[in-house]
């Protein structure tokens, strides 16, 4: 179970986040604060795993708040002002959610933290993946038939106009979905969009050759798009030995 608090000077923003947190079984909301100084008092007396933190607040800014807690908790910034994103990441926040926050984007941020940097579970039944499935079903060409596709079996996903082609276990399954649908459904720690037409399974990468990413069990390399290159290299950072 991941404990969390909300710090935001606007009650309606807190209400939205509280509703989202209730939908994720692996999150436990300890408290919500419109006054960041009161939140600091709690953090000085109690361990909190994750903060949902607004940036622009009257008593103390979210960025100053992060400096004050000195890395004691993970932080997801929530704000309506995108110009602060650079400052936030320089302070090593986990993610940045731009208001109004859609639930799929909120879920993706939480999932990324719980899977890549798992917080020590409080019981045997609590795991970083608690509350998240590891498969989905898609409609097939046969009427009434739904096919189960496990995340671990997916090699890559290819955009094909109004469809996507899911390449898994040597098979190619067509589904009437969009790349955006799948980006929001797949765990960001395990899958990465590297081109407007391709999403790949990170653990299937075997080599990187210039602008081409090679995958296990896939004969042809996947093109790395320039737009997606920075995110890809950031994902690979720490995996490359100098």
């Amino acid at each position: 179970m991941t404990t969390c608090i909300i710090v935001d000077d606007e009650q309606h923003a807190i209400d939205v986040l509280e509703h989202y947190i209730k939908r994720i079984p692996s999150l436990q909301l300890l408290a919500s604060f419109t006054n960041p100084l009161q939140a600091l008092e709690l953090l000085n007396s109690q361990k909190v795993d994750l903060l949902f933190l607004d940036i622009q607040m009257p008593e103390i800014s979210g960025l100053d708040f992060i400096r004050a807690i000195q890395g004691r908790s993970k932080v997801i910034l929530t704000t309506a002002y995108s110009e602060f994103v650079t400052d936030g990441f320089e302070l090593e926040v986990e993610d940045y959610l731009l208001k109004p926050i859609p639930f799929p984007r909120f879920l993706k941020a939480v999932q990324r933290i719980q899977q890549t940097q798992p917080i020590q579970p409080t019981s045997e039944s609590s795991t970083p993946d608690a509350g998240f499935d590891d498969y989905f079903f898609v409609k097939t060409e046969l009427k009434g038939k739904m096919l189960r596709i496990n995340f671990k079996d997916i090699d890559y996903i290819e955009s094909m106009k109004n469809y996507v082609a899911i390449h898994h276990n040597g098979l190619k399954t067509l589904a009437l979905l969009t790349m955006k649908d799948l980006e929001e459904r797949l765990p960001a720690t395990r899958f990465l969009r590297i081109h407007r037409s391709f999403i790949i399974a990170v653990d299937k990468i075997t080599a990187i050759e210039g602008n081409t990413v090679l995958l296990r069990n896939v004969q042809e390399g996947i093109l790395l798009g320039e737009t997606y290159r920075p995110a890809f290299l950031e994902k690979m950072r720490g995996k490359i030995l100098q």
Side-chain angles (χ1 to χ4, degrees):
M1 184 69 69
T2 302
T3 58
C4 62
I5 66 171
I6 301 169
V7 186
D8 197 308
D9 63 326
E10 298 181 347
Q11 185 59 48
H12 70 87
I14 289 178
D15 292 341
V16 170
L17 292 176
E18 287 182 343
H19 175 67
Y20 286 174
I21 290 169
K22 288 177 182 178
R23 296 175 63 180
I24 302 178
S26 57
L27 285 181
Q28 179 186 1
L29 181 63
L30 299 180
S32 299
F33 300 92
T34 54
N35 185 332
L37 298 180
Q38 293 178 349
L40 278 175
E41 289 183 8
L42 174 67
L43 290 172
N44 288 332
S45 61
Q46 184 174 348
K47 176 72 171 71
V48 177
D49 298 322
L50 177 61
L51 274 61
F52 296 98
L53 178 66
D54 188 24
I55 290 181
Q56 288 199 321
M57 297 180 289
E59 291 85 359
I60 178 175
S61 75
L63 299 179
D64 287 335
F65 190 101
I66 294 171
R67 296 182 183 100
I69 64 174
Q70 299 179 339
R72 282 175 284 167
S73 302
K74 300 180 189 301
V75 177
I76 293 178
L77 287 177
T78 62
T79 182
Y81 303 96
S82 60
E83 61 265 29
F84 295 106
V85 64
T86 302
D87 293 333
F89 282 117
E90 285 178 353
L91 292 171
E92 298 183 350
V93 302
E94 301 297 328
D95 210 334
Y96 185 102
L97 301 181
L98 191 62
K99 298 175 181 178
I101 303 167
F103 178 71
R105 180 66 181 89
F106 177 87
L107 177 63
K108 187 175 183 178
V110 172
Q111 189 175 39
R112 179 184 295 117
I113 291 173
Q114 292 186 316
Q115 292 185 338
T116 60
Q117 298 175 329
I119 296 163
Q120 186 65 30
T122 55
S123 69
E124 292 183 2
S125 61
S126 298
T127 70
D129 293 319
F132 301 105
D133 295 329
D134 60 358
Y135 64 91
F136 57 83
F137 285 90
V138 296
K139 295 180 181 179
T140 67
E141 296 176 352
L142 296 176
K143 186 176 180 181
K145 182 178 180 180
M146 304 284 285
L147 179 66
R148 171 172 169 157
I149 297 179
N150 297 316
F151 291 166
K152 64 181 179 62
D153 295 333
I154 298 174
D155 297 311
Y156 69 99
I157 297 161
E158 179 182 5
S159 175
M160 302 183 70
K161 294 185 178 180
N162 296 327
Y163 291 82
V164 295
I166 303 170
H167 297 261
H168 59 112
N169 270 354
L171 303 174
K172 178 180 176 180
T173 299
L174 295 180
L176 186 58
L177 296 168
T178 67
M179 296 291 273
K180 185 176 184 295
D181 291 334
L182 287 170
E183 270 195 293
E184 293 177 348
R185 181 66 183 85
L186 295 169
T189 56
R190 298 170 62 180
F191 295 90
L192 186 64
R193 191 167 184 174
I194 66 168
H195 188 278
R196 63 186 180 88
S197 298
F198 295 103
I199 296 173
I200 65 169
V202 175
D203 65 352
K204 303 295 177 67
I205 296 174
T206 59
I208 304 167
E209 296 181 357
N211 291 330
T212 303
V213 180
L214 304 182
L215 304 178
R216 185 169 63 251
N217 301 325
V218 178
Q219 291 184 347
E220 296 184 0
I222 307 295
L223 182 64
L224 175 59
E226 285 300 319
T227 302
Y228 299 89
R229 174 182 287 275
F232 176 76
L233 294 178
E234 177 65 22
K235 186 82 172 181
M236 295 297 103
R237 190 176 66 177
K239 303 292 186 183
I240 302 174
L241 300 181
Q242 302 295 334

